[in-house]
Amino acid sequence: MCSCKGKNPSGKGFHKPTVRSFLHSLRCQRFGPDAHFTHRPHPVRALSTETEVAQVKVKSERAAVFLCRILTRPEEEQGGAKVSARLAIVCVFGKNKRSNMSKPNYSGTFHMVEQQNMDTYLAALDINFALRKIVCLLKPSKEITHDPASGAMKIRTVTTFKNFNMDFTIGEEFTEDLGPVDGRLCQTTVSWEGDKLLCVQRGEKEGRGWTHWLEGDKLHLEMRVQDIVAKQVFKKGD
């Protein structure tokens, strides 16, 4: 059992409860210690003299709805969870179907038509000279399957040399095996940034990630690592 032992979020054992301690104990009380939702507290910033906002990412819609109900009640009606009435929690759902449906659908097959700075990017990943020269001569295609409602996405990069598959849900962190690229493992999250897909790959190499976006029938890809940026442009097939 967890260390909070089901205590009241703001009762004994929690001095000036934080978003983290509140969510942790709330999870244990309401859903049990194995409930599957995560939180990512952000620094509180004052929006006005009466409101402080903290953003919490909630993986479960059920948990998020429950949190909203609790935190929007008057303090005296929160069943002992004496969270300051001035603290408003904005819940960002891991699978917000309404939000996802308004995003572009990336599904399709795209063929590369342009490439910039690829050799320097691969060198920053410690790819040897001979392999870099081979990769820079390739003309990859992207086969993308995207379900806007659930956020599920599969990206298959196809070349005459080697193929690479990426299977994930937008907004959810996963362990990515980059063996076909440079042999490393990363903790990867792909999320929306407007209509762009922003990927952060946390691992051995600092500042690693990429951004995809659509412009008409073209798919743009910007790849980053250690302040090095490479770009590719793909055109959608018929």
Side-chain angles (χ1 to χ4, degrees):
M1 188 169 180
C2 69
S3 60
C4 80
K5 298 182 180 179
K7 293 179 183 178
N8 188 294
S10 58
K12 293 182 179 180
F14 287 95
H15 177 64
K16 294 184 178 179
T18 63
V19 171
R20 180 181 295 275
S21 64
F22 178 80
L23 291 182
H24 178 69
S25 54
L26 180 62
R27 178 193 66 187
C28 296
Q29 291 182 67
R30 181 71 175 181
F31 304 108
D34 297 323
H36 295 292
F37 69 92
T38 59
H39 50 82
R40 188 174 299 170
H42 292 252
V44 174
R45 63 185 176 91
L47 296 184
S48 70
T49 56
E50 294 298 328
T51 305
E52 294 174 338
V53 177
Q55 289 188 333
V56 178
K57 182 170 182 177
V58 181
K59 190 175 181 180
S60 163
E61 290 188 29
R62 177 187 173 192
V65 170
F66 178 72
L67 282 173
C68 289
R69 288 174 179 172
I70 289 293
L71 295 172
T72 54
R73 292 176 187 171
E75 186 171 349
E76 62 271 18
E77 297 179 12
Q78 291 182 12
K82 296 180 180 179
V83 179
S84 170
R86 295 177 61 199
L87 182 64
I89 302 297
V90 179
C91 292
V92 183
F93 295 85
K95 294 183 179 180
N96 190 324
K97 297 181 180 180
R98 191 173 187 181
S99 176
N100 286 339
M101 288 300 290
S102 67
K103 299 299 184 181
N105 191 331
Y106 277 71
S107 297
T109 299
F110 303 83
H111 307 289
M112 194 186 77
V113 294
E114 185 181 333
Q115 181 169 267
Q116 299 175 19
N117 207 33
M118 194 64 176
D119 186 77
T120 304
Y121 171 78
L122 294 173
L125 291 174
D126 305 319
I127 307 298
N128 67 63
F129 177 82
L131 186 54
R132 295 203 311 266
K133 295 308 173 186
I134 293 173
V135 172
C136 289
L137 291 174
L138 298 174
K139 300 291 184 183
S141 295
K142 298 274 187 183
E143 298 175 357
I144 301 177
T145 303
H146 177 204
D147 179 5
S150 67
M153 180 173 280
K154 295 180 181 180
I155 301 178
R156 185 167 185 253
T157 303
V158 181
T159 73
T160 55
F161 177 67
K162 190 180 292 186
N163 299 334
F164 178 67
N165 296 319
M166 190 176 182
D167 190 343
F168 58 93
T169 299
I170 296 170
E172 296 187 6
E173 185 178 77
F174 63 100
T175 300
E176 182 180 13
D177 183 358
L178 292 166
V181 181
D182 63 340
R184 294 182 171 92
L185 290 176
C186 290
Q187 290 303 119
T188 299
T189 306
V190 181
S191 55
W192 289 111
E193 187 178 70
D195 286 343
K196 296 182 179 182
L197 288 172
L198 175 66
C199 175
V200 176
Q201 297 165 312
R202 296 187 296 106
E204 182 182 336
K205 291 291 184 177
E206 292 293 328
R208 188 171 186 177
W210 50 258
T211 302
H212 262 312
W213 69 95
L214 294 168
E215 287 184 359
D217 64 348
K218 290 185 177 179
L219 173 71
H220 293 258
L221 172 60
E222 180 182 276
M223 297 166 284
R224 300 173 295 275
V225 63
Q226 295 179 333
D227 298 324
I228 303 298
V229 179
K231 296 181 180 180
Q232 293 179 331
V233 180
F234 299 78
K235 186 172 182 179
K236 194 168 188 178
D238 297 331

